[in-house]
Amino acid sequence: MIVHSSLRFLLAASVAASIAMTPGSARAQAVDVPLTNPDFKDGDGDGLPDGWKPAPGGDGTTTIIKVDGGALKFTDNSEGVGLGLAQWVDVNPGDEYTAKADLEGTGSVMFLMVFVPKIPAREGDMNKVKIGEAKISLPAKDGVTELKAVAPAGATKARLMLYCPKIGKCDVTVKSVSLKKTGSGPAPTPIPSAAAAGPTPKPRNDHGRDHPDSMIQPGTVAKIDFETGDFSQVRLQEGGKKEVVSAPDPVRSGQHAMKVMLTHDQHRTEVTGPRSQPYGEFKYGWSIYLPKEFDGNSWFSIITQWHTWGSGKEYVINPPGPPTCLTVSKGNWDLLLRYQDGDTDNAAVKHFDFGPIEPDLGRWVDFVMEVNWQSPKSGGGYLKLWKDGKLVVDYTGPTWFEDKTSGPFFKMGIYKGAGSWKGEESGAIVYFDEFRMGDKSIPHDAVDPAKQAGK
């Protein structure tokens, strides 16, 4: 049964260069950007809207795209196959664009714009040529969502795409889409070519670089509790299989939680949340459920991270990994903290072991972390971690690095290394729920899962 609701939104840029319109740039009157078949007509009778390209198409059984009654229907009952439609449009660097769609139904779809200097000859070359990307998750049951997109320097084309991700299900009707140019300004400064800029150092880790701009706003509480029934609250999905579940699966509070599942051909399955500002005091709360079958001995598991990608100057972290993370290693809970090693460009490390996981298997465990992200030079850093209300880490000292333009972003899921883990796959299932984050103005209880349960 399709539940009727209307969703209108403005699409926001998550471009690689993170370029915004300059103050004082011209605010042009909205001008339609021509779209092919925005009302999804099927003139040739093949069941698909003319002028739109499947990306990917349906299989006719578990995944279906079809024109029905003058609207586009997405039906995805698969957890392992995506479903989408796309078309190319012309854009001008520096111009601001607004996309709108009318949706109804259950589940959610993604709306994307991928900016390129020219259309690639092959679909598989898209990631090689793209110079920016904007995207948003559209829960069919939600109200109005607004974000904006500015075409980056060098962009002449954008690929407009509706997509139901590989992870997730949907039964959504899209009645129409539109695209307008809603502002114009000087083109952003072009990004230097590789030849002009010199060799680019090979990244020590590739995950998180495309993490969308998600800086938490002062005085607010960010929340990921999965009560939307989908992944619309998260910023990015990475790696392998994950799903939003309800009872009889474990749920900390409300009706839903996240279940992540790792297989031997993968080494991570995670979702990302908000960033903090570059420095200062922040609070995090979240809940983890390790099933009784969880493998905490044969290989380490990183199950919560505060990651540094896209936060300014990079430092040498050896071995590579997130600056701060909660892990399970050799059957114990362990908080790992990396920070700038004095005046060097290297990272120092501390481990805080706070007991075996065995008493915690098969039950929800609540965590709260209060931290002041500070470098050795800025001073005043500290980190406190509570487990089920008991203070298990109480550290004073550096927690971060100099020359950062933004703070770390939060991640939760499971990471077990580059294909070295060979344990039972049933031992790599973890549940997460009740994530909240706020700055120093937010009370401890406002992020504590035990105090927020049921709210």
Side-chain angles (χ1 to χ4, degrees), residues 62 93 152 166 181 215 222 234 273 281 347 355 381 434:
T62 58
K166 292 182 180 179
K181 186 178 78 169
M215 196 83 72
V234 309
E281 301 174 44
E434 293 299 303

Side-chain angles (χ1 to χ4, degrees), residues 55-195:
D59 62 14
T61 55
T62 58
T63 59
I64 301 170
I65 300 176
K66 67 177 181 178
V67 175
D68 187 1
L72 176 68
K73 289 188 176 293
F74 278 82
T75 304
D76 188 352
N77 292 313
S78 171
E79 296 176 350
V81 181
L83 189 67
L85 284 175
Q87 66 170 276
W88 289 100
V89 297
D90 294 323
V91 296
N92 295 313
D95 285 352
E96 176 188 273
Y97 293 89
T98 298
K100 296 182 180 180
D102 289 320
L103 282 75
E104 61 187 25
T106 58
S108 65
V109 294
M110 297 291 296
F111 209 161
L112 299 89
M113 286 185 77
V114 180
F115 296 99
V116 298
K118 63 179 182 179
I119 299 175
R122 298 184 304 171
E123 185 77 15
D125 292 336
M126 183 73 67
N127 287 333
K128 296 180 182 179
V129 301
K130 76 174 182 180
I131 54 177
E133 180 178 278
K135 59 185 176 182
I136 188 171
S137 179
L138 309 175
K141 66 180 182 181
D142 276 5
V144 175
T145 302
E146 295 187 352
L147 294 168
K148 297 178 180 179
V150 176
T156 66
K157 296 284 186 178
R159 190 182 192 227
L160 186 67
M161 182 177 180
L162 286 158
Y163 178 62
C164 182
K166 292 182 180 179
I167 302 167
K169 300 180 180 181
C170 69
D171 187 1
V172 175
T173 298
V174 187
K175 294 185 286 186
S176 66
V177 297
S178 66
L179 181 65
K180 295 178 181 291
K181 186 178 78 169
T182 52
S184 61
T189 303
I191 300 171
S193 67

Side-chain angles (χ1 to χ4, degrees), residues 74-333:
F74 278 82
T75 304
D76 188 352
N77 292 313
S78 171
E79 296 176 350
V81 181
L83 189 67
L85 284 175
Q87 66 170 276
W88 289 100
V89 297
D90 294 323
V91 296
N92 295 313
D95 285 352
E96 176 188 273
Y97 293 89
T98 298
K100 296 182 180 180
D102 289 320
L103 282 75
E104 61 187 25
T106 58
S108 65
V109 294
M110 297 291 296
F111 209 161
L112 299 89
M113 286 185 77
V114 180
F115 296 99
V116 298
K118 63 179 182 179
I119 299 175
R122 298 184 304 171
E123 185 77 15
D125 292 336
M126 183 73 67
N127 287 333
K128 296 180 182 179
V129 301
K130 76 174 182 180
I131 54 177
E133 180 178 278
K135 59 185 176 182
I136 188 171
S137 179
L138 309 175
K141 66 180 182 181
D142 276 5
V144 175
T145 302
E146 295 187 352
L147 294 168
K148 297 178 180 179
V150 176
T156 66
K157 296 284 186 178
R159 190 182 192 227
L160 186 67
M161 182 177 180
L162 286 158
Y163 178 62
C164 182
K166 292 182 180 179
I167 302 167
K169 300 180 180 181
C170 69
D171 187 1
V172 175
T173 298
V174 187
K175 294 185 286 186
S176 66
V177 297
S178 66
L179 181 65
K180 295 178 181 291
K181 186 178 78 169
T182 52
S184 61
T189 303
I191 300 171
S193 67
T200 301
K202 183 178 180 180
R204 294 181 292 275
N205 228 332
D206 63 356
H207 58 95
R209 286 181 297 169
D210 293 328
H211 181 266
D213 183 8
S214 56
M215 196 83 72
I216 190 170
Q217 296 302 306
T220 64
V221 176
K223 180 170 66 173
I224 304 175
D225 61 2
F226 306 102
E227 290 306 295
T228 57
D230 54 28
F231 287 99
S232 59
Q233 294 173 314
V234 309
R235 299 292 176 175
L236 194 69
Q237 298 182 49
E238 298 178 2
K241 188 176 181 181
K242 57 188 75 65
E243 60 183 351
V244 176
V245 299
S246 56
D249 281 283
V251 174
R252 173 65 180 90
S253 183
Q255 302 297 316
H256 301 287
M258 178 178 71
K259 178 182 181 181
V260 299
M261 300 147 279
L262 200 62
T263 55
H264 288 149
D265 60 338
Q266 303 159 345
H267 60 278
R268 75 169 66 250
T269 174
E270 298 160 323
V271 298
T272 70
R275 285 188 185 274
S276 72
Q277 277 73 31
Y279 303 93
E281 301 174 44
F282 297 90
K283 301 179 179 74
Y284 306 82
W286 70 105
S287 299
I288 298 175
Y289 184 101
L290 302 178
K292 290 186 178 295
E293 300 80 15
F294 181 78
D295 179 6
N297 292 291
S298 68
W299 195 256
F300 73 91
S301 301
I302 299 177
I303 53 178
T304 309
Q305 303 185 33
W306 291 261
H307 219 292
T308 184
W309 275 115
S311 59
K313 180 179 177 180
E314 294 295 338
Y315 286 75
V316 177
I317 296 178
N318 191 21
T324 304
C325 59
L326 177 64
T327 72
V328 173
S329 180
K330 298 180 180 179
N332 280 7
W333 296 104

